[in-house]
Amino acid sequence: MSAPDQTDPQGPTPTPTPAAPASDAPTPAARARRARIAAAGLLMAAAAVVLALRLASRSSVLVVGVYGLLLILCGVVIELSRRGRTRLGTWLLAAGLVAALVMDGVVLS
């Protein structure tokens, strides 16, 4: 076989073109996902601190359960945000926070 008979199966290699600087910026959807993940992570940390304080003060088991469920809900919201379901995650996060605060007030009083 001669050199012209042998062809590259992938074809000619294209020359790389410089990427535009704007393409490196995250899209609004990616920024929204990151913001929801950060918000859920901060709420998870706050719920863990409150849960530790409630455990130290020998609070009701129901309060511990409420904050435990809030921790689980924050994890679900983070996973939803990773998968692109930011609106659903935001609604769940807001509803879960309100429900946890209401239940904390009801159980402690």
Side-chain angles (χ1 to χ4, degrees), residues 27-43 77-78 81 86 90 93:
T27 63
R31 279 184 275 154
R33 284 192 297 272
R34 289 180 188 156
R36 293 332 183 272
I37 289 171
L42 288 174
L43 184 60
V77 169
I78 289 172
S81 295
T86 54
T90 302
L93 190 62

Side-chain angles (χ1 to χ4, degrees), residues 9-10 23-24 28-29 36 49 53 65 80 89 92 97 101 107:
Q10 296 176 351
S23 66
D24 292 339
R36 293 332 183 272
V49 168
L53 292 174
L80 284 173
L92 281 175
L97 179 61
L101 292 175
V107 172

Side-chain angles (χ1 to χ4, degrees), residues 59-63 66 102-109:
S59 213
S60 171
V61 176
L62 290 174
V63 174
V66 166
V102 167
M103 287 302 295
D104 186 10
V106 167
V107 172
L108 282 180
S109 60

Side-chain angles (χ1 to χ4, degrees), residues 56-72:
S57 69
R58 307 242 182 238
S59 213
S60 171
V61 176
L62 290 174
V63 174
V64 173
V66 166
Y67 283 104
L69 288 175
L70 183 62
L71 287 170
I72 292 170

